[in-house]
Amino acid sequence: MQPPVTARRTFPLAQAQRYSLPALFALFGVIMGSWAGRIPSMAERVHVSHSALSMVLLMGGLGAVISYPISSLLMGKYGARKTMLISGMALLGVLLAIGIAPTVPLLMLAVLSLGVTASTYDVAVNSAATRSEQQTGKSELSKLHGIGCAGSLAGATMGSLMAGMHITPGLHFLMLAAPLAMLLWMACQSLDLPDTALKVEKKKFSLPRGPLALLGAIGFLGSMAEGSIADWSGVFLKERFHASEGLAPLALSCFSAMMLVSRMFGDKLKVRYGAKRLVTVGAMVAAAGLFFAVLSPGARVALVGFAVAGLGLSLVFPFVFSAAGAQGPLALAGVASMAYSGSLMGPPLIGTIAQGLGMQAAIAYIGALALAIAFVANRSRLLR
């Protein structure tokens, strides 16, 4: 006699994964996009200077880097599904703390916690997605990352609207917390994923080794490139072409929009061409787009270059995380930690280059990073 089926196992695997995983990726995107969209309002509330704001933002990257022992412990004790639920609820709590932090030190502490909880959730949700790929035999991580990207754009847009309505970040995040917590709980409950405990090495931090080191290097370089474009593309348009306040942000919008479109088709392309070829060729395309932006005669022409860069870099993270996740959740956590360290180091490095050599040299350096991605990806045995 078969044991009774629990409520969480009521739906077939394919149906549960079909709705739960996209919802969990979209939820993460909405949270991170909402936070990013309210950064100016939060900076104004605590009267933070530009230099102090850069330190606040760096705390998020630092939190992501040091999250490895927490993500490995939770994944080892509870498995991916419960880790998503725990870290996701904690992430929503941290978001509320960020919204009401009254001083710069408290805001820095809250953003550090954001980096830890967001990175832990990211590792868990990507681990669940790679587990689904293994069970179904279908590539789907690119589309799921595309859904997360769409959620991020929606969250950022919502943040802009809330700011325009003069709604404080604290109230904004409070309005989001309850429905997102309910969505998180429902999606985790319907996700048909065993709560398998894993053996975890008791290390504070672990760098990937062997073939995984190449995946970590690709993630590191990709994170540096994406973070630098996000932070400096608009500044480049303003300084190089004296673009208006309305035109300058379109560099990031074009980059993000093309990244979203590409990720929605990435899984089908992976089946046909393979991950290694797509990441390698895509990185070279991204380098060409960035060099085109540097040499463009005007701001609107440069937008084409940033759009091409988004197209070329779009598949780096989905395929790197898919390849690392296929080696196990702990391998994914190590690669993710190395990747996130790129987001910590990239923007300040680009700022230093811009200060000494100018913004054109800084954007050209990001193009060189893209060429380095192509070089490393072409030598990776785990990208398939």
Side-chain angles (χ1 to χ4, degrees), residues 51-118:
S51 58
L53 179 59
S54 67
M55 292 302 299
V56 170
L57 298 177
L58 281 175
M59 296 302 288
L62 178 61
V65 172
I66 65 176
S67 68
Y68 176 82
I70 297 174
S71 59
S72 344
L73 177 64
L74 290 176
M75 292 289 289
K77 189 173 184 179
Y78 300 113
R81 188 181 68 87
K82 287 186 177 179
T83 298
M84 271 187 284
L85 183 59
I86 294 169
S87 60
M89 290 296 184
L91 180 58
L92 288 170
V94 168
L95 190 67
L96 289 174
I98 289 175
I100 62 176
T103 64
V104 174
L106 289 177
L107 182 59
M108 292 177 70
L109 179 60
V111 174
L112 177 70
S113 301
L114 178 79
V116 173
T117 53

Side-chain angles (χ1 to χ4, degrees), residues 112-160:
L112 177 70
S113 301
L114 178 79
V116 173
T117 53
S119 177
T120 302
Y121 182 94
D122 201 20
V123 168
V125 75
N126 278 281
S127 178
T130 54
R131 177 69 176 265
S132 174
E133 285 187 332
Q134 293 168 358
Q135 290 176 328
T136 62
K138 296 180 180 179
S139 176
E140 57 184 4
L141 206 57
S142 178
K143 182 178 289 186
L144 290 172
H145 274 257
I147 292 171
C149 186
S152 181
L153 289 173
T157 302
M158 187 186 308
S160 178

Side-chain angles (χ1 to χ4, degrees), residues 19-38:
Y19 297 108
S20 299
L21 279 174
L24 290 165
F25 272 86
L27 181 146
F28 184 58
V30 169
I31 293 174
M32 300 310 292
S34 298
W35 136 251
R38 298 313 303 267

Side-chain angles (χ1 to χ4, degrees), residues 77-361:
K77 189 173 184 179
Y78 300 113
R81 188 181 68 87
K82 287 186 177 179
T83 298
M84 271 187 284
L85 183 59
I86 294 169
S87 60
M89 290 296 184
L91 180 58
L92 288 170
V94 168
L95 190 67
L96 289 174
I98 289 175
I100 62 176
T103 64
V104 174
L106 289 177
L107 182 59
M108 292 177 70
L109 179 60
V111 174
L112 177 70
S113 301
L114 178 79
V116 173
T117 53
S119 177
T120 302
Y121 182 94
D122 201 20
V123 168
V125 75
N126 278 281
S127 178
T130 54
R131 177 69 176 265
S132 174
E133 285 187 332
Q134 293 168 358
Q135 290 176 328
T136 62
K138 296 180 180 179
S139 176
E140 57 184 4
L141 206 57
S142 178
K143 182 178 289 186
L144 290 172
H145 274 257
I147 292 171
C149 186
S152 181
L153 289 173
T157 302
M158 187 186 308
S160 178
L161 292 175
M162 291 287 186
M165 296 168 64
H166 303 290
I167 296 176
T168 64
L171 180 57
H172 171 196
F173 296 156
L174 182 62
M175 293 166 63
L176 280 179
L180 290 184
M182 181 62 67
L183 174 61
L184 173 65
W185 184 83
M186 293 175 61
C188 286
Q189 289 301 309
S190 64
L191 186 64
D192 196 344
L193 195 69
D195 300 323
T196 305
L198 302 167
K199 293 182 179 180
V200 181
E201 297 181 16
K202 296 182 179 181
K203 296 180 179 179
K204 293 183 179 179
F205 182 75
S206 177
L207 285 175
R209 299 178 180 178
L212 281 174
L214 292 181
L215 289 182
I218 297 168
F220 174 82
L221 295 168
S223 183
M224 284 188 73
E226 281 195 34
S228 298
I229 291 172
D231 286 357
W232 293 102
S233 57
V235 178
F236 167 75
L237 290 188
K238 290 188 70 174
E239 291 193 5
R240 175 79 175 95
F241 304 110
H242 306 289
S244 66
E245 293 290 337
L247 180 60
L250 290 181
L252 179 57
S253 299
C254 291
F255 177 81
S256 301
M258 289 304 296
M259 182 171 284
L260 168 60
V261 171
S262 176
R263 283 177 173 174
M264 300 309 291
F265 297 97
D267 295 311
K268 293 182 180 179
L269 293 173
K270 181 182 178 182
V271 173
R272 184 170 182 178
Y273 299 107
K276 177 186 289 190
R277 182 182 298 179
L278 288 172
V279 173
T280 301
V281 174
M284 290 190 290
V285 169
L290 290 165
F291 293 143
F292 178 83
V294 169
L295 300 174
S296 294
R300 288 177 174 79
V301 179
L303 292 177
V304 176
F306 286 111
V308 171
L311 178 68
L313 291 175
S314 61
L315 302 180
V316 172
F317 277 115
F319 292 165
V320 165
F321 281 12
S322 178
Q327 308 304 309
L330 299 184
L332 176 59
V335 169
S337 296
M338 188 172 175
Y340 289 131
S341 65
S343 65
L344 176 67
M345 297 174 60
L349 177 60
I350 295 301
T352 301
I353 295 173
Q355 184 71 29
L357 301 176
M359 280 306 308
Q360 282 184 287

